[in-house]
Amino acid sequence: MSRLRVAAARERRPLAERVAAACLAASMVGTVGLGATYWLGGQPQLEGGFLFLALAGIGVGIVTWGKYLVPQGPYVQDRPPMASPDPEVEAMNDSLGRGLGQMTRRRFLLRLLGGSVGVFAVVNLFPFLRSLGPLPGKSLFVTNWKKGSRLVTASGRVVTASDLEVGGILTVFPEGFEGAPTNAIDQVVLVRAASYDLVTKPGRETWGPQGYLAFSKVCTHAGCPVGLYQELTQQLLCPCHQSLFDVLTGATPVFGPAPRPLPQLPLYVDPQGGLRSQSGFDEPIGPGFWERGA
Amino acid sequence: MSTLEERAAQAAGFADERLGVARFTRKSLNKIFPDHWSFMLGEIALYSFVVLIFTGVFLTLFFVPSSQQVIYHGSYAPLRGQRMSEAYASTLNISFNVRAGLVMRQIHHWAADVFIAAIVVHLLRIFFTGAFRKPRELNWVIGTTLLILAIVNGFIGYSLPDDLISGTGIRIAFSILLSIPVIGSYLAFFIFGSNFPGTSIIPRFYILHVLILPALIAALIGAHLAIMWHQKHTQYPGPGRTERNVVGIAFWPAYALQAGGFFFITAAVLAALGGLVQINPIWLYGPYVPYKVSYAVQPDWYMGWLDGALRLMPSWEAVFGPTIGGHMIPNVFFPAVLLPGVTFGLLFAWPWIESAVTRDRSEHNLCDRPRERPIRTSVGVGVLMFYIVLFLASATDVLANTFETSLNLVLWTLRVLLFVLPVLSGFVTYLLVREIEHLPAVGVPKTAVEIRRTVDGKFELAGLAPGGAAEEEITELPEEAARAKSGLGLPTEAEGGAVQLRQEGGLL
Amino acid sequence: MKFKHVSGAGVFVFGATMLVAVTAVLVSRSPQLASSVAPTPVPHSVKRAVVYTNPPARLIPEGKALFAEDCETCHGPQAQGSSRAPNLQGLGAATVDFWVSTGRMPLADPTEQAFVKSPVLNRTQQLAVSAYVASLAPGGPAIPSVNLGATNISRGESLFAEDCAACHTITGVGDALANNVYAPSLYPATPTQIAEAIRTGPGNMPRFGPGTLSNQEVGDIVRYVTYLQHPNDRGGLGLGHVGPVAEGFVAILIGLGSLLVAGYWIGGRAG
């Protein structure tokens, strides 16, 4: 070490010690503050601030200590290669081989052991998985919308043909299944796009009475509720991944990742003026799955 | 009154007589750690995990993992009288009524975000310096597994409060499970216990989040550290640093004090964030109801690349007509199952891919400088850029809103950039690296020099100023040096050919 | 080295000072000490939540003059519309009042979505224009005024999440929709403007008529939106209420960033 560095070190050490001491003392102040805040009923910002002071005081204090007040070397240490010397490896292989050799003399037992463990794993795996949940069965293909289902709001109010103004939107359910927290499949977005009967696609001539169009609210991409209605452009937008569906052409996707139109629910107006479904959906709602096919 | 040293010796003696730990303890205390700022990144992750455990245990005392519907009568007026799950109601209770509950919840959430961020930068450091090479491939695999587990546990934890935004995230997770070919619908129903949403997912997520995944993470962190300890840390090349030695500070006490201090500093930063910056204010999001939704639904940042991939994916899906069985591989399978599968598959395999390409099977303990490996560095930068674009894509709506431009424009721009930027940035990196690779001055620390003007007006170099790196004296720890001199050290250190090693050490 | 030593301690002192300062500011502004504890009374008063009144007829002449000056070029002399602007007849005073009082009309550039700016007309002039247009043809809602005391904030939250959050986001901050359309932030809106927007569906916003939302329900939503304008940010800085995007940037840049600085200090050689 040069004379300059020695002199600098002599000057520095007391300073580092003073800094470390100040930090540790600040920590105590912080902890006391934290305790007092807590005692008085708590306040998130004060709690966070005091906790910071308490922890940072200790942290900076002992780092200062460990960095400036104890020798830093640099020190050197040998690093042997990871692999063991050859005789050790040979000895290990001898022992491994000895045991295996003793076992393979009973080849029949060895096979039977493999078989019994295998059978145990396979046979027990199925009931374990199966107890976790029911088989999907047909539940991904159906909803609770039936022929003649009345459209009701989440609170159960019956929706009539005079309820929505042109440009209006409402989330509806089949009567009897409204708004239950465990019901995600029946939600339908009802929009009124015009004041006359609307045809979205050939074959859907009677589905849109008085401009009312109803689509499954479950996005065909990843299943989010398609809740955004851009009224002037007549488009429904999914908030999760921005799939855009054109309402007037049967909710055909026009932008974003959704691969399929939102299934349309055929509607009619009953003699009392209430809106009802002509039938259920003609295809599975929501995101795709293996068994769905086209 | 005995001195502190005497009492410590007494305690150590007690332990040694029963466990025979003297040799192990001595070697551990005398362990040398290379010091460099880039070796501190994994420590940030480790300490964040410790903070997660502490705050998480606190939260378990108050959180109720149940989808049971209750009517809220708590102190937050804008939700009073509403139906919500017990999970959500208890999270409101933690946020408003449990003393210090909100600050703990926020520290927990910030710690999770920082935990995974630290893992990612740690992984990048390992990658770009080649520290995954033999003999460290196993630790690379463990580390990558830890990253996956951290992301999964982060997502599950984010989902537990059952608020409107996280509930929408669970809905997407169900659709992703559903998209897996052949087994998708069974898997989704078995994990959720029914069709979405059901009432089982919150309690099942809970036990995964607080027991199974943390136990796995803790066990793997233990293995990660034990292997690192056993193999000894890598170091950068430099004067006196060789493949067969470690140069740095001693574990006891310098490293122990510094690392211990860093734990407190990490906890302090997280506490400051937790107290001062609001994160996930679930009371503003409302309870999850399957037919309600908010716009600007983003997952936490570490899921951003998957969300971005879902958004950028064109509207394709594979449909096999009824003639061949009538099956479908849905759109979300490609970005949300295939992409992470390939990502982590390649990540796991990288050490072997690289050694197959370079045909290098030897042991490496000196880190590469990124400039010394132009191909690895440029491939790494390009791939990283791919994920950065995906990450940005999860905020298409926020970007469009912030910069007052069209969402469609943002999306299409990112779709193009996803392929252009990685190639471009990789290529530019390659050129840059080749450019600086052979420059002699790159990476050499600058040192002050003294220049004097002589009487006849010329300049002359007066010599190096003090503090130059060349002056560094590297020694063995005094006790180890003494052992070596007395002959005690050699026989015990002899395993693994220490003799041959010492000859190499002659470089010093 | 000496420099690094000083920087480590300096960072601590600076950080602690900043923290105390930020904490003090946050605590002094923190509303939850009082507001979160006091329960909101659910009023059973006979007062109605929303009352609709047409502006006084005496303002019609003034409105006609203003309309001729500022609106007629696009909307036509009888507000019957043109190729450049929609027909306003029969839309009611609320529609006109919303567009004019939020400063969206008169429009600066007819091809873009109208945005909020400070209104060109004063309040009387706004009412006058509304009165004039409403006098041209019957129909459409009159100008609503909301009696916040007769509303239920919790019911408002529930309805807001169902009908409004999908576009305006659950915190009301707004966001970009497809095709260059955006849902504006609700923070600058007055109670009357919120009710007007719900009833008239300006621009791309859907219309929520009396068959969809009752007047009481409109009032409840307005109450919740006024709460969102000053929400309970009990957790500290609100980060603009845009959710995980802002949080991620803070976690990476400030959280990890400051720890990297600390690591740079600790990992460097003391010399």
Side-chain angles (χ1 to χ4, degrees):
Chain A
M1 271 194 184
S2 70
R3 282 213 330 265
L4 263 173
R5 288 186 72 196
V6 173
R10 201 174 286 151
E11 215 175 65
R12 181 177 64 228
R13 282 188 182 156
L15 175 62
E17 203 170 332
R18 285 203 301 275
V19 169
C23 288
L24 293 172
S27 166
M28 279 191 256
V29 173
T31 311
V32 170
L34 180 66
T37 311
Y38 185 87
W39 186 257
L40 293 172
Q43 204 286 341
Q45 281 69 55
L46 286 175
E47 284 159 4
F50 281 129
L51 194 55
F52 168 84
L53 196 61
L55 293 164
I58 297 180
V60 177
I62 64 178
V63 168
T64 306
W65 187 358
K67 202 169 152 66
Y68 305 104
L69 301 173
V70 296
Q72 300 292 302
Y75 300 112
V76 65
Q77 195 171 38
D78 291 334
R79 185 205 298 269
M82 268 301 119
S84 311
D86 288 347
E88 288 288 347
V89 178
E90 278 158 28
M92 170 179 77
N93 288 343
D94 287 348
S95 299
L96 266 177
R98 176 178 52 77
L100 279 174
Q102 288 163 356
M103 277 164 70
T104 45
R105 246 176 271 156
R106 306 275 180 272
R107 202 164 278 277
F108 173 66
L109 271 184
L110 203 61
R111 283 189 191 140
L112 212 57
L113 174 65
S116 59
V117 170
V119 170
F120 183 87
V122 170
V123 173
N124 283 297
L125 184 67
F126 277 105
F128 170 70
L129 282 179
R130 183 65 181 77
S131 350
L132 286 175
L135 296 175
K138 283 278 149 208
S139 56
L140 290 169
F141 291 86
V142 295
T143 66
N144 294 308
W145 287 99
K146 302 279 177 307
K147 181 174 164 33
S149 294
R150 237 199 257 261
L151 275 62
V152 299
T153 65
S155 55
R157 186 166 54 80
V158 172
V159 180
T160 66
S162 60
D163 279 356
L164 267 67
E165 299 181 14
V166 172
I169 179 175
L170 192 62
T171 300
V172 295
F173 300 84
E175 195 176 25
F177 300 93
E178 56 267 14
T182 52
N183 178 1
I185 56 172
D186 294 327
Q187 49 183 306
V188 156
V189 54
L190 178 72
V191 299
R192 191 172 191 190
S195 51
Y196 47 87
D197 291 2
L198 267 178
V199 186
T200 55
K201 273 183 184 171
R204 297 186 177 180
E205 282 76 10
T206 64
W207 289 21
Q210 301 179 25
Y212 278 101
L213 299 174
F215 299 99
S216 165
K217 200 179 174 181
V218 186
C219 186
T220 55
H221 173 236
C224 294
V226 186
L228 289 75
Y229 182 37
Q230 300 188 186
E231 191 259 316
L232 282 184
T233 55
Q234 306 274 31
Q235 286 163 327
L236 287 163
L237 180 67
C238 179
C240 290
H241 307 106
Q242 284 86 39
S243 296
L244 192 63
F245 301 91
D246 186 14
V247 165
L248 296 184
T249 58
T252 313
V254 289
F255 175 70
R260 274 167 283 114
L262 300 170
Q264 187 178 352
L265 187 73
L267 301 178
Y268 70 96
V269 181
D270 68 20
Q272 290 77 42
L275 284 167
R276 290 173 185 262
S277 58
Q278 295 181 23
S279 66
F281 290 104
D282 61 354
E283 58 178 323
I285 59 120
F289 51 98
W290 176 250
E291 296 88 343
R292 190 184 193 279
Chain B
M1 193 67 199
S2 54
T3 65
L4 188 62
E5 285 90 336
E6 280 164 3
R7 273 177 287 160
Q10 246 172 15
F14 177 91
D16 185 60
E17 281 162 28
R18 284 151 187 88
L19 301 167
V21 291
R23 184 177 140 82
F24 176 77
T25 309
R26 191 255 310 161
K27 286 180 74 175
S28 299
L29 292 176
N30 289 352
K31 203 165 190 63
I32 301 303
F33 278 84
D35 44 3
H36 190 268
W37 66 268
S38 72
F39 297 160
M40 312 299 285
L41 306 174
E43 287 187 31
I44 301 176
L46 174 67
Y47 303 145
S48 303
F49 181 70
V50 176
V51 172
L52 282 169
I53 297 284
F54 278 121
T55 50
V57 167
F58 178 89
L59 295 174
T60 60
L61 303 177
F62 306 100
F63 179 70
V64 183
S66 160
S67 300
Q68 179 72 41
Q69 295 287 305
V70 294
I71 305 287
Y72 180 67
H73 296 295
S75 62
Y76 182 65
L79 293 174
R80 210 175 289 148
Q82 288 201 30
R83 281 163 63 86
M84 56 183 64
S85 65
E86 276 190 288
Y88 184 73
S90 64
T91 313
L92 286 178
N93 183 46
I94 289 172
S95 306
F96 287 97
N97 300 93
V98 174
R99 218 176 265 194
L102 181 62
V103 83
M104 292 301 248
R105 222 196 94 219
Q106 296 200 138
I107 294 174
H108 192 72
H109 204 133
W110 284 118
D113 277 10
V114 170
F115 176 49
I116 301 174
I119 294 178
V120 171
V121 292
H122 176 54
L123 180 141
L124 291 175
R125 199 283 292 172
I126 303 285
F127 178 87
F128 284 111
T129 62
F132 52 81
R133 291 173 299 174
K134 189 179 173 184
R136 294 185 175 74
E137 302 98 321
L138 295 178
N139 245 3
W140 170 265
V141 169
I142 292 175
T144 307
T145 312
L146 278 169
L147 173 61
I148 298 172
L149 291 176
I151 290 176
V152 171
N153 212 25
F155 173 76
I156 291 179
Y158 166 84
S159 301
L160 283 178
D162 203 25
D163 58 275
L164 187 61
I165 292 186
S166 73
T168 309
I170 301 183
R171 164 73 241 198
I172 299 170
F174 183 86
S175 305
I176 291 170
L177 288 170
L178 208 57
S179 76
I180 297 170
V182 187
I183 57 165
S185 55
Y186 294 89
L187 197 63
F189 272 62
F190 290 166
I191 289 177
F192 278 70
S194 70
N195 200 348
F196 179 82
T199 53
S200 307
I201 195 64
I202 295 291
R204 286 182 184 180
F205 270 4
Y206 181 69
I207 201 66
L208 282 169
H209 182 74
V210 304
L211 178 67
I212 298 171
L213 291 171
L216 270 176
I217 291 174
L220 286 176
I221 288 179
H224 201 68
L225 293 177
I227 291 174
M228 185 272 291
W229 193 269
H230 180 65
Q231 292 181 330
K232 297 184 176 151
H233 207 284
T234 52
Q235 61 190 351
Y236 287 106
R241 277 87 168 158
T242 74
E243 288 282 2
R244 286 281 151 254
N245 71 6
V246 192
V247 177
I249 59 174
F251 175 79
W252 185 247
Y255 183 81
L257 283 171
Q258 292 180 18
F262 200 23
F263 164 73
F264 283 100
I265 291 174
T266 306
V269 168
L270 295 173
L273 281 175
L276 302 184
V277 189
Q278 182 162 285
I279 187 165
N280 203 23
I282 51 108
W283 58 92
L284 295 179
Y285 299 161
Y288 179 62
V289 178
Y291 58 86
K292 293 182 181 175
V293 72
S294 167
Y295 199 29
V297 272
Q298 265 89 13
D300 270 354
W301 78 266
Y302 44 84
M303 296 289 286
W305 59 289
L306 288 171
D307 188 52
L310 280 166
R311 292 180 184 212
L312 292 192
M313 178 74 192
S315 59
W316 303 329
E317 59 190 3
V319 177
F320 311 105
T323 44
I324 43 172
H327 293 305
M328 166 187 279
I329 302 180
N331 179 285
V332 293
F333 172 77
F334 303 99
V337 181
L338 196 62
L339 173 76
V342 170
T343 300
F344 290 115
L346 285 176
L347 210 49
F348 277 125
W350 181 262
W352 289 277
I353 295 174
E354 190 182 295
S355 82
V357 171
T358 59
R359 293 160 197 273
D360 180 355
R361 305 272 192 281
S362 52
E363 193 178 314
H364 294 276
N365 295 309
L366 285 179
C367 286
D368 290 330
R369 305 264 179 196
R371 63 174 175 277
E372 297 162 356
R373 297 276 178 262
I375 294 182
R376 182 207 289 147
T377 301
S378 44
V379 166
V381 169
V383 171
L384 181 63
M385 197 54 77
F386 180 82
Y387 290 96
I388 288 177
V389 175
L390 286 181
F391 174 65
L392 290 178
S394 79
T396 42
D397 52 333
V398 178
L399 289 173
N401 200 40
T402 309
F403 297 107
E404 296 185 6
T405 181
S406 157
L407 181 73
N408 309 45
L409 181 72
V410 171
L411 187 101
W412 273 106
T413 308
L414 289 173
R415 275 180 178 170
V416 171
L417 288 183
L418 183 64
F419 297 99
V420 172
L421 264 191
V423 175
L424 199 67
S425 61
F427 184 64
V428 169
T429 308
Y430 185 79
L431 292 183
L432 277 176
V433 166
R434 292 310 294 258
E435 201 64 31
I436 63 173
E437 192 179 12
H438 302 297
L439 293 180
V442 172
V444 177
K446 292 194 180 85
T447 48
V449 291
E450 202 180 323
I451 295 173
R452 287 208 190 114
R453 194 166 186 188
T454 55
V455 275
D456 52 343
K458 290 180 181 161
F459 294 95
E460 66 173 25
L461 199 60
L464 288 176
E471 283 185 29
E472 207 175 49
E473 262 182 87
I474 304 176
T475 57
E476 276 188 273
L477 269 183
E479 312 92 279
E480 295 287 337
R483 283 173 66 85
K485 201 173 256 176
S486 70
L488 249 179
L490 267 178
T492 46
E493 301 285 356
E495 341 108 307
V499 179
Q500 157 201 353
L501 201 172
R502 286 203 175 266
Q503 285 159 357
E504 281 180 37
L507 272 174
L508 299 184
Chain C
M1 283 158 214
K2 184 138 190 159
F3 167 72
K4 279 189 186 169
H5 171 114
V6 172
S7 76
V11 165
F12 175 59
V13 171
F14 176 75
T17 317
M18 286 304 290
L19 242 127
V20 170
V22 173
T23 310
V25 171
L26 282 171
V27 170
S28 66
R29 294 191 326 182
S30 163
Q32 84 279 356
L33 285 172
S35 69
S36 72
V37 192
T40 311
V42 181
H44 297 284
S45 79
V46 288
K47 281 195 275 185
R48 283 180 298 167
V50 185
V51 179
Y52 296 85
T53 39
N54 264 318
R58 61 182 162 78
L59 289 174
I60 293 175
E62 187 191 351
K64 185 175 172 137
L66 286 163
F67 190 88
E69 208 172 293
D70 290 328
C71 322
E72 199 178 287
T73 7
C74 295
H75 289 284
Q78 293 297 310
Q80 75 276 30
S82 72
S83 58
R84 279 190 285 176
N87 180 359
L88 302 178
Q89 290 185 0
L91 293 184
T95 308
V96 181
D97 185 51
F98 175 85
W99 287 91
V100 177
S101 72
T102 57
R104 288 181 165 85
M105 286 290 152
L107 204 57
D109 174 5
T111 58
E112 271 200 8
Q113 183 171 351
F115 55 90
V116 180
K117 50 188 185 294
S118 69
V120 175
L121 310 176
N122 66 33
R123 187 65 193 141
T124 318
Q125 292 172 320
Q126 293 161 11
L127 291 173
V129 174
S130 309
Y132 169 67
V133 176
S135 72
L136 294 172
I143 297 174
S145 65
V146 183
N147 175 14
L148 291 176
T151 57
N152 178 341
I153 190 171
S154 175
R155 181 99 192 106
E157 194 281 340
S158 179
L159 291 162
F160 183 84
E162 183 173 344
D163 292 324
C164 319
C167 296
H168 293 283
T169 83
I170 193 73
T171 56
V173 73
D175 203 356
L177 310 180
N179 297 332
N180 234 341
V181 174
Y182 64 92
S185 165
L186 302 178
Y187 296 164
T190 65
T192 292
Q193 289 165 351
I194 300 162
E196 284 169 345
I198 295 171
R199 282 298 189 225
T200 66
N204 261 297
M205 178 166 160
R207 232 175 251 82
F208 297 88
T212 322
L213 293 173
S214 69
N215 281 329
Q216 179 65 46
E217 289 172 326
V218 170
D220 294 342
I221 292 176
V222 171
R223 170 75 182 282
Y224 188 68
V225 174
T226 57
Y227 163 74
L228 283 181
Q229 294 171 345
H230 305 283
N232 185 343
D233 282 338
R234 186 174 151 74
L237 296 171
L239 300 181
H241 299 112
V242 294
V245 174
E247 292 164 5
F249 277 105
V250 170
I252 293 170
L253 297 180
I254 297 181
L256 184 65
S258 60
L259 290 171
L260 290 180
V261 172
Y264 188 77
W265 171 51
I266 298 168
R269 288 203 59 77

